Structure formats: C-alpha cells, structure tokens
Amino acid sequence: NLSNIPKIVFGMGMLLFIRNEGYQFLKRNLILATKLIPISLIIVSIYFITTGHEASNWWNLGFRMTFKGNDPNDFSALLIALGAFSYYLVFKSISKLWTFVGIVSTILVVYSVLLTGSRGGMLTLVFTTILTLLLFSKRNFKRSILVIFFLIFFVLALFYSNLIDFNFIYERFFGKYITDISSLTAGRTDWWKAAFEAFKQKPLLGYGGSRSASLWINFNKYGEAKVMHNIYVEILIQYGIVGLTVFLSLIIRLLVDLKNLLKLNKKQATDTTYLIIPFISLASILFAGLALSLQWQPLLWYLIPLCLVIGSFVEKYVHEN
C-alpha cells in the first residue's frame, strides 16, 4: 500500500509550492505551457510518424502503430490529454502564428491517435473534443464552428487520401472478431468480473498498491496475468472501498472547482480560460482510464494538484470579492 506514496507526496508538494508562489506564477507558467506543449507535441508526433514507432498486426486485418517501447492505448491517451493545450491555441489564441502552431499540433495529434488504432484513444479524442467545444465556445462561437468544419474536413481528407485505413478502424469496432461484450472490450469485462469477485474477499482496504494484485487475480481466474484496464476497478482492488472513496472525493472536489471557475470566467471581463486547460487534460485521463490502468500515471498526479491549486485560487478570489 505504500509503494506509490512518493507520487502522492510529490502532488502535495507541488500544490503547496504553487500556492506559495502565488497566482501570477501559475498564470505565467500555464500561458508558457500553452506554447511549449503544442511545440513539443509537434516534435514527438513527427518523430512517431516517421521513425519512432513500432507496428503490430491485428488479426491480419491491419497494423497498429505505437511509440517505441510504449502501449498504443497509453500513448494515445497521453497525446490527447496534452493535446488540450493545442486545442487552446486553436480556440483562443489571438496570434495568427500561435493559432497556426495549435492547428498543426492538433492535426498531428489526431493523425497519430488514428495511427495507433486505439479504440479507447479515438473515443477519448471525441470526448475531449466535445468537452473542449462546450467549455471554450461561449466567448468565441464563430471560431468554434470553424474548428468543427475543419475537423470534419480533415477526417474526410484522411479518408479519401487513404492515409488512414478506415476499414481497419471499422473492423476494430464492429468487425467479424467482435462477437460479444468480451471481445468488444478485448477481455476487459472478464477481468472486471474477476475483480469484483476478488473484491468481496477484501472489500475495505484491498490487496495492496501494486499492479501485481490484478495480475495475480486474473491469473488465478483465467490463467492470464492481466491488469484490470480500468483506473477505478484498479483502485477498488488495490485500496478497497476506502481508497476508491478518497479518489472519487478528489474528483467531486475538482468538479466543484471547475464549476466555480466557469462561473468566474462568465462574470469576468478578462479571458482566463487558460485555467480550464488542466481540467480538460485531467478529464481526458479519467475518461481514458475507463479502459486503462492509469491510476499511477505520473501525468495524472501532476494534473490533480494543478487543478486543486487552481480551485484554491478561484475560491480565494470569490471570497475576497
């Protein structure tokens, strides 16, 4: 249960550090990140598309690509979560140069995710795009409409140019190898069933904070050492009801903070939507976590304190005014 405590300690330390440095420190660094992260995504995506990938054959129907040494699902989830910074430039930048950077970065992220053939990645991409439209479109409706048409045009261009094998994507979701709920979820529902059976044995505190717990449970049940591929089921197994309650309480707190932030943005004359970006990134990770074991993904424990400290600044501002 103590094996991942350093990540929680880091998160607490980061929260206290930013609170101590103050709002202007947070603002400067977030605005800087809206430029540096999209540039970084362009570099990573170009490397991935050209030479930095590995290909695997899926049922002889098509090839999935992933970043060297990485899992295609995890890779696509992280790309999309960080891609929220690229979306910000597309929706909100007043500079033509940085808007262009955001567009290029977004295009490369979308293309890279499609190349991975990750169903979870594609669903997370749709979720993140819709969430971003909902949160960013209020003060810039015309640009939001342009973004929607551009994304549609881009997907159609990929389809007709054959740069992406959409037949393979169709097979991934609806093909002949998808015969039941187990095959649709790539065995995940079977692993979750084993998890809930095991949970009954240790419901309060779980089996300990190691992925070995899931591997052991599924090996005993099915003869396969597999993780649960679900962030919430993993926490339930590893830390029981106590751990899951704490984690869900964090999420509820962050939802309240986001609600307060949206109210503040609505009232203020100045645009502070850059504060929403970490919440979108975190929501992407949590959505992707419905099918992935991301409970100790470092980016998750970077975004949680970042969103909490934004919430604390918003709460302080509301109380002072």
Side-chain angles (χ1 to χ4, degrees):
N1 279 321
L2 301 177
S3 60
N4 288 291
I5 290 296
K7 292 181 182 177
I8 298 176
V9 172
F10 165 80
M12 293 174 60
M14 177 181 165
L15 189 153
L16 294 173
F17 172 74
I18 298 176
R19 285 183 64 179
N20 183 64
E21 292 295 315
Y23 172 73
Q24 291 302 321
F25 172 83
L26 172 70
K27 178 181 177 180
R28 288 194 304 271
N29 281 278
L30 266 182
I31 291 176
L32 181 62
T34 63
K35 297 176 173 61
L36 294 183
I37 290 179
I39 291 173
S40 300
L41 289 175
I42 291 173
I43 296 170
V44 170
S45 297
I46 290 175
Y47 172 69
F48 164 68
I49 293 167
T50 54
T51 60
H53 62 263
E54 297 171 345
S56 59
N57 194 327
W58 190 80
W59 292 101
N60 292 320
L61 295 175
F63 286 92
R64 301 183 64 187
M65 289 170 54
T66 188
F67 200 83
K68 286 183 177 179
N70 208 324
D71 177 82
N73 302 310
D74 291 356
F75 175 62
S76 62
L78 296 182
L79 272 184
I80 297 163
L82 293 173
F85 288 85
S86 303
Y87 271 148
Y88 174 82
L89 289 182
V90 174
F91 279 95
K92 293 296 181 179
S93 178
I94 59 176
S95 163
K96 291 182 179 179
L97 172 62
W98 288 110
T99 301
F100 176 74
V101 170
I103 291 172
V104 172
S105 181
T106 300
I107 287 173
L108 289 173
V109 166
V110 172
Y111 184 50
S112 297
V113 170
L114 292 175
L115 285 176
T116 66
S118 170
R119 290 177 296 180
M122 286 179 259
L123 292 174
T124 303
L125 182 62
V126 172
F127 167 81
T128 304
T129 302
I130 293 173
L131 180 63
T132 304
L133 284 168
L134 291 173
L135 296 179
F136 282 174
S137 63
K138 292 183 178 179
R139 291 194 179 188
N140 204 339
F141 183 73
K142 289 183 179 179
R143 186 176 289 198
S144 300
I145 295 298
L146 287 174
V147 169
I148 293 172
F149 278 110
F150 175 77
L151 287 174
I152 293 173
F153 173 79
F154 176 60
V155 172
L156 289 174
L158 290 176
F159 177 79
Y160 286 108
S161 63
N162 291 320
L163 287 173
I164 294 294
D165 186 354
F166 282 90
N167 289 326
F168 174 58
I169 292 176
Y170 176 85
E171 288 292 336
R172 290 278 293 149
F173 282 96
F174 310 107
K176 60 183 179 180
Y177 292 104
I178 309 300
T179 57
D180 53 22
I181 189 66
S182 178
S183 58
L184 177 63
T185 61
R188 285 171 172 80
T189 50
D190 296 329
W191 305 330
W192 299 342
K193 181 180 178 182
F196 287 117
E197 289 177 2
F199 162 73
K200 296 175 184 178
Q201 305 301 317
K202 294 188 177 183
L204 194 59
L205 295 175
Y207 289 79
S210 167
R211 68 194 298 270
S212 298
S214 298
L215 298 176
W216 177 76
I217 289 168
N218 280 319
F219 183 78
N220 281 342
K221 179 72 175 179
Y222 301 110
E224 294 181 306
K226 299 288 186 179
V227 295
M228 295 302 171
H229 284 78
N230 183 294
I231 187 174
Y232 310 98
V233 175
E234 288 282 10
I235 293 174
L236 184 65
I237 285 297
Q238 293 181 17
Y239 296 98
I241 293 175
V242 172
L244 186 60
T245 300
V246 171
F247 187 70
L248 293 178
S249 298
L250 268 177
I251 295 175
I252 292 171
R253 169 65 194 188
L254 291 169
L255 288 173
V256 173
D257 288 339
L258 177 59
K259 181 181 177 181
N260 293 334
L261 176 57
L262 294 175
K263 285 183 179 179
L264 181 64
N265 281 333
K266 190 175 181 180
K267 293 178 181 178
Q268 288 206 130
T270 55
D271 191 358
T272 55
T273 46
Y274 55 85
L275 294 174
I276 301 175
I277 306 172
F279 287 91
I280 297 175
S281 294
L282 179 59
S284 299
I285 291 287
L286 293 174
F287 182 85
L290 291 170
L292 296 173
S293 295
L294 299 174
Q295 68 278 5
W296 292 117
Q297 167 58 238
L299 182 59
L300 174 67
W301 292 99
Y302 183 88
L303 291 169
I304 286 176
L306 184 56
C307 292
L308 285 172
V309 77
I310 291 172
S312 71
F313 283 137
V314 171
E315 188 176 33
K316 181 180 178 182
Y317 178 87
V318 171
H319 287 162
E320 290 177 351
N321 295 273

